[in-house]
Amino acid sequence: MPVLFPTTVDEATTALAAHPESMLLAGGTDAMVGINDGHHRPGATVISVNRIADLRSWRHDPGAGTLTVGAGVTYTELMDPSIAALVPALAEASRTVGSPQIRNAGTLGGNLGTSSPAGDGLPVLSALNAVVHLATAGSTRDVDVNDFMVGVKRTALEPGEIITGVTVPVVDGWQGYAKVGVRNAMVIAVASTCVVVDRARHTVAVALGSVGPTILRCPEAESFLAARLDWDSLVASDADQAEFGRLVSAASQPITDHRSTADYRRHAVGVLARRLARRAGATS
Ligand SMILES: Cc1cc2nc3c(=O)[nH]c(=O)nc-3n(C[C@H](O)[C@H](O)[C@H](O)COP(=O)(O)OP(=O)(O)OC[C@H]3O[C@@H](n4cnc5c(N)ncnc54)[C@H](O)[C@@H]3O)c2cc1C
């Protein structure tokens, strides 16, 4: 198959416009599985985005209070202490992804490109209301990540578009990510939860993975905990943590499949949410 190696976003979008049938390749950890499973048209052009420096970098804008991460930044890079200090939940989620080899190759842009409901980076981006940056030949646009992920492995990406990066706020407060799988390491999430507590805005955000067709937010649980938290200590009572977990379970829409049952998944996200609420109060 022909493989192109653009070195700029412009070159990549121009190549994509010239070869609309082509497949974008970042770390290849999802794409190669797709090729092996026969989901990719043999002979179609592959456009590797690995050599685009803009996609491989990240920048912190202290004035805006944001972190912008290029689509080609890997999980290993996201675990770097300098990124972990700004967006701890993203580093925490990255640590749970696959094996060292997968974390060295797999990228945040690839996680978004696939948009599996089990993608570990995605609940974090959802809870942070990340902005996804997209480019096509001649134009760019920004999309709220919660509008970008539209269904099981379905996104709002238009033909000819590539993901260039995401911008997330640097939140004053607490954030955490937790995941349950069939074993401790090298595991796709059976259920996952991200909680972000924003002390400045007095808001709580909760996003769930692997319990719906895409990442789910839990508005009722979010406003419940926000109304009950002590905003100095970020502590909620045991009873409020339990009710928060119950509301999160109620917001899930799990199915039974080869990895788990709907009942277990519904229970698990409630437990994860309750634990994260407890951790918020214990560590802040
Ligand atoms: C053994 C194994 C274990 C895994 N474990 C986990 C896990 O624990 N958690 C988890 O979340 N995932 C896991 N994965 C899945 C995978 O590693 C992640 O989804 C990863 O983020 C994919 O990134 P990538 O760079 O490899 O993407 P690729 O495979 O290169 O691409 C994935 C998709 O995104 C598209 N794409 C890539 N870059 C762009 C871009 N810039 N713009 C538009 N589209 C783009 C591609 O065309 C493709 O459709 C695992 C995979 C394997 C093989």
Side-chain angles (χ1 to χ4, degrees):
M1 56 180 75
V3 183
L4 305 178
F5 292 97
T7 56
T8 65
V9 170
D10 277 355
E11 281 177 24
T13 52
T14 303
L16 198 50
H19 306 277
E21 82 302 342
S22 57
M23 183 186 75
L24 292 169
L25 185 77
T29 59
D30 277 327
M32 295 310 292
V33 174
I35 289 172
N36 290 340
D37 288 348
H39 298 316
H40 180 62
R41 191 137 50 90
T45 302
V46 172
I47 301 176
S48 166
V49 296
N50 272 334
R51 297 186 190 170
I52 304 176
D54 280 354
L55 267 51
R56 305 296 308 258
S57 63
W58 59 273
R59 67 179 179 283
H60 175 210
D61 181 340
T66 57
L67 174 76
T68 297
V69 179
V73 172
T74 65
Y75 296 106
T76 301
E77 289 161 343
L78 290 171
M79 289 157 53
D80 188 276
S82 44
I83 295 187
L86 299 168
V87 191
L90 197 52
E92 205 172 0
S94 300
R95 273 194 289 276
T96 76
V97 172
S99 60
Q101 294 88 339
I102 296 295
R103 293 194 289 272
N104 284 339
T107 64
L108 195 56
N111 216 215
L112 276 166
T114 299
S115 276
S116 159
D120 283 308
L122 307 180
V124 180
L125 297 181
S126 170
L128 289 168
N129 296 312
V131 173
V132 182
H133 306 298
L134 305 172
T136 186
S139 69
T140 59
R141 69 179 176 122
D142 292 340
V143 182
D144 184 314
V145 73
N146 292 304
D147 297 327
F148 180 81
M149 302 180 288
V150 296
V152 181
K153 298 192 175 180
R154 284 178 45 236
T155 71
L157 205 63
E158 299 280 355
E161 276 184 328
I162 74 165
I163 306 161
T164 55
V166 296
T167 294
V168 293
V170 175
V171 175
D172 167 26
W174 185 88
Q175 53 188 259
Y177 177 78
K179 156 180 173 181
V180 173
V182 293
R183 51 182 181 265
N184 276 341
M186 190 73 187
V187 70
I188 301 294
V190 154
S192 65
T193 305
C194 178
V195 171
V196 174
V197 179
D198 187 330
R199 190 181 258 125
R201 291 181 182 77
H202 285 204
T203 57
V204 173
V206 188
L208 312 179
S210 289
V211 290
T214 185
I215 306 303
L216 301 178
R217 287 286 293 268
C218 313
E220 211 182 327
E222 292 175 357
S223 32
F224 172 82
L225 192 61
R228 302 299 173 112
L229 268 189
D230 174 324
W231 282 100
D232 291 324
S233 63
L234 304 187
V235 169
S237 70
D238 287 351
D240 287 341
Q241 288 170 19
E243 177 61 5
F244 175 62
R246 195 194 65 74
L247 290 170
V248 166
S249 287
S252 65
Q253 304 167 21
I255 57 163
T256 297
D257 65 10
H258 61 289
R259 287 206 181 88
S260 190
T261 64
D263 283 348
Y264 179 77
R265 288 184 153 117
R266 188 176 298 108
H267 176 72
V269 279
V271 172
L272 294 176
R274 203 174 64 218
R275 281 186 195 157
L276 289 168
R278 188 180 315 137
R279 273 176 54 200
T283 51
S284 297

